[in-house]
Amino acid sequence: MDKTSVIFGNEIDRKTIRKAYKQQKKFLKKFGDDRNTRWHLAAVDNEVLTPAMGVKVLVLSDNPMETLPEKPLIIGNIRMGFGHYRISMAMASCARHLGYTPLWFDLNSFKETTCTKIISYQNDLYSMGSRLSQKISLFNKLYWEPLNSEGFRQLTYNAVDQAAAELMVPVFNDLPKDTPYIATHVWPSQAAVHAGMTKVVNAIPDNWPMALHLSEGALHTVQTPSSYLGYRLLRGFAKDKVLHPMGENDILYTGQYIDHELVSNIEADCAARIARCKEGRPVRFLLTVGGAGAQGEFFAGIVKTILPYVQQNRASLYINVGDYKNVWDTMQKNIPELKDLVASGLCKTHFDNWADTKAFAEKELTAKDTTGKIDVFCHKDIFAAVYTTNLLMRACDVLVTKPSELAFYPVPKLHIRRVGGHEAWGAIRSAENGDGTYELSTVAEASNMARNMIENPDIIPGMCAHIIECKQRGIYDGAYKVVEAAANR
């Protein structure tokens, strides 16, 4: 980006350019300048991702990388919450199915680099904001919601980010420029474009168009038709202005980003859910706490509602707290009965044992349980923390989640209150597809929905019917299409 920068034909004002490079200088002063450092990479196996989807993880190395694996496809990502990792796993899963070797390139994992220091700093700020927004309603109303819905929407915000992404280029040193590359966050996309990569696809999350996600020079993919038009016309990206639109070849509607393992088993998994409902077996709720750990109190309220049904053998709970054991500790403090249930064996913990978690999830696919139970999962390993939800998703009847990236997954969903205004349209998309509820913004509202899902055996089968219909329409084929777009770019 230079002093006369334009974004999709729209000129950026000089004040914004000065702000962008002032911010860049602050980052250089705070985190160091490694633009003349030649970082090297190596591709290594991972305990979770390699067996599941053939992924090789790129790590820093003392020696230059001489060759890439056969038919490589790079997935550039960052850990910012769990959503961007989850999209990356969907891309990796479909890439492997289509015959490619996925290379996991997490720009937030190279601790020695300026790139990672910048991302980690901003990630920490975002996580703190997410937590505060759930605890301080005035902060959420006056700052967090407006920032996440309108602040990030402005083209000027994207211009500032572009300058920061220039500092992430050094970690790309070993990567051949013509390797297919999918970014599941805008910073890895912007950095790849700055680094001269020629086959970059920017896989945009959520369903609310924001300039934050623009990466000119990449092919932008979106999950919904409404998002396509919003991005194509850059709707609302500058106040009181009609902007020059994106070109036809800059953006592609693909459908929703879902793992091959989930898409290919939709009919079987929905049939199992319908059978459990018809036979009156316990309704299985999967509660997944996001990477920011922001909604522990909300989840605790829902657990309190469901607990009596567990004891009546009408419900079961899978609780994945990711890599946040403190969330489980807090939940036990807020719900003293849980400690008694742990002591009695009705509530079991599965902590930091990946083999046990995999075996449990596989067994649950065919288990014909007639008694309620609670199983809690926590893994310090970030890959296991995220992928546990993917494994349990197939066996559950209802996924309880905020309307983030999980709102797009092919499983019946109970959507609790959002964290940030940009998530609102995820629940809207799911409710219109029929595979999830509308957003339930209070504990009372969410608890009432949970009760109805247990007591009315038609709600879950109804959602399953919509899921099967959506599959037939190609709604869940997004990750396959993104991989094909990157490979053919």
Side-chain angles (χ1 to χ4, degrees):
M1 189 171 71
D2 58 32
K3 302 298 183 184
T4 58
S5 177
V6 295
I7 298 177
F8 292 111
N10 300 284
E11 187 171 354
I12 304 302
D13 64 276
R14 292 184 178 276
K15 181 180 178 181
T16 298
I17 297 296
R18 288 194 295 270
K19 178 182 177 182
Y21 281 98
K22 184 178 180 181
Q23 175 79 325
Q24 188 191 77
K25 288 178 181 177
K26 285 183 178 179
F27 282 151
L28 288 170
K29 184 177 181 180
K30 186 177 183 69
F31 302 118
D33 187 349
D34 65 356
R35 286 176 290 185
N36 293 320
T37 303
R38 297 189 64 80
W39 299 108
H40 298 300
L41 301 169
V44 302
D45 288 348
N46 175 269
E47 178 188 7
V48 176
L49 298 184
T50 303
M53 55 194 74
V55 167
K56 298 283 187 179
V57 176
L58 295 176
V59 298
L60 290 182
S61 172
D62 292 331
N63 303 306
M65 177 183 286
E66 295 182 359
T67 60
L68 294 179
E70 186 177 358
K71 292 191 69 176
L73 186 143
I74 300 168
I75 300 171
N77 58 65
I78 65 170
R79 178 191 174 173
M80 182 170 277
F82 285 177
H84 299 286
Y85 258 26
R86 197 174 308 285
I87 299 173
S88 297
M89 290 176 177
M91 300 303 176
S93 170
C94 291
R96 185 194 197 191
H97 174 71
L98 294 172
Y100 296 92
T101 300
L103 301 179
W104 191 273
F105 188 42
D106 179 0
L107 272 63
N108 199 16
S109 67
F110 310 124
K111 294 182 179 180
E112 301 95 316
T113 70
T114 302
C115 168
T116 292
K117 291 173 185 176
I118 291 172
I119 293 172
S120 294
Y121 170 73
Q122 295 185 106
N123 187 22
D124 289 344
L125 288 177
Y126 189 84
S127 294
M128 180 177 66
S130 293
R131 289 190 293 271
L132 287 175
S133 72
Q134 301 304 294
K135 296 177 181 178
I136 306 172
S137 59
L138 199 61
F139 171 81
N140 186 57
K141 180 179 180 180
L142 297 181
Y143 180 75
W144 196 246
E145 278 272 323
L147 176 65
N148 277 272
S149 57
E150 295 299 330
F152 291 156
R153 196 179 178 192
Q154 302 306 302
L155 206 60
T156 51
Y157 193 95
N158 181 264
V160 175
D161 262 5
Q162 288 280 3
E166 291 176 4
L167 304 181
M168 303 174 188
V169 168
V171 295
F172 287 76
N173 178 62
D174 276 2
L175 300 178
K177 305 298 185 188
D178 61 349
T179 310
Y181 181 101
I182 299 170
T184 61
H185 185 280
V186 70
W187 295 337
S189 179
Q190 293 170 346
V193 172
H194 286 310
M197 302 292 286
T198 60
K199 295 184 175 182
V200 182
V201 173
N202 177 27
I204 295 176
D206 299 321
N207 189 30
W208 175 244
M210 297 189 291
L212 164 72
H213 293 302
L214 296 179
S215 176
E216 189 167 11
L219 172 66
H220 298 67
T221 63
V222 293
Q223 301 187 80
T224 70
S226 63
S227 190
Y228 175 88
L229 286 177
Y231 277 104
R232 181 77 184 273
L233 276 296
L234 304 183
R235 176 177 178 262
F237 287 11
K239 293 179 181 178
D240 303 319
K241 284 185 180 180
V242 174
L243 297 175
H244 188 279
M246 297 174 72
E248 180 182 358
N249 295 325
D250 293 319
I251 186 167
L252 175 69
Y253 162 62
T254 60
Q256 295 165 203
Y257 312 140
I258 310 297
D259 309 59
H260 169 69
E261 291 77 17
L262 293 169
V263 176
S264 61
N265 286 292
I266 281 176
E267 291 86 354
D269 294 342
C270 283
R273 293 178 186 116
I274 293 169
R276 284 191 290 270
C277 288
K278 287 182 176 179
E279 294 166 12
R281 297 208 293 272
V283 177
R284 301 170 175 183
F285 289 87
L286 168 57
L287 279 63
T288 177
V289 181
Q295 293 175 300
E297 294 179 7
F298 206 109
F299 279 109
I302 296 173
V303 171
K304 288 179 182 178
T305 298
I306 296 176
L307 268 183
Y309 290 102
V310 174
Q311 294 166 325
Q312 296 166 22
N313 298 321
R314 299 182 67 187
S316 290
L317 284 168
Y318 307 145
I319 304 174
N320 181 23
V321 297
D323 56 350
Y324 284 83
K325 184 178 180 296
N326 62 298
V327 172
W328 173 238
D329 295 337
T330 300
M331 194 176 287
Q332 289 182 93
K333 290 179 182 177
N334 292 335
I335 313 173
E337 304 96 306
L338 284 174
K339 287 187 177 180
D340 296 333
L341 294 175
V342 171
S344 70
L346 182 62
C347 178
K348 297 181 180 179
T349 56
H350 308 260
F351 289 5
D352 295 316
N353 188 333
W354 183 235
D356 170 63
T357 296
K358 287 196 298 182
F360 176 89
E362 183 68 26
K363 182 180 178 181
E364 289 295 281
L365 288 175
T366 56
K368 296 186 180 297
D369 43 305
T370 56
T371 58
K373 61 182 180 179
I374 303 171
D375 290 272
V376 186
F377 302 83
C378 182
H379 294 85
K380 294 176 184 176
D381 180 272
I382 181 60
F383 299 111
V386 177
Y387 202 59
T388 292
T389 294
N390 291 46
L391 293 180
L392 295 172
M393 207 182 300
R394 289 192 56 202
C396 80
D397 296 315
V398 179
L399 172 65
V400 181
T401 178
K402 66 189 182 77
S404 56
E405 208 50 46
L406 282 170
F408 298 91
Y409 274 67
V411 57
K413 292 171 291 289
L414 188 160
H415 291 121
I416 65 173
R417 184 178 62 209
R418 64 184 180 266
V419 180
H422 63 293
E423 293 183 343
W425 282 75
I428 292 171
R429 170 66 171 175
S430 177
E432 290 299 314
N433 279 340
D435 61 7
T437 69
Y438 45 84
E439 182 182 350
L440 303 158
S441 57
T442 67
V443 173
E445 199 177 15
S447 297
N448 182 56
M449 181 64 74
R451 282 192 291 268
N452 273 276
M453 286 177 151
I454 296 168
E455 295 176 0
N456 296 301
D458 63 306
I459 294 178
I460 294 171
M463 288 186 177
C464 286
H466 287 299
I467 289 169
I468 293 170
E469 179 186 353
C470 284
K471 180 183 178 181
Q472 293 168 347
R473 292 165 51 203
I475 296 295
Y476 305 123
D477 288 347
Y480 301 109
K481 293 180 179 178
V482 173
V483 171
E484 291 168 346
N488 297 323
R489 198 153 154 68

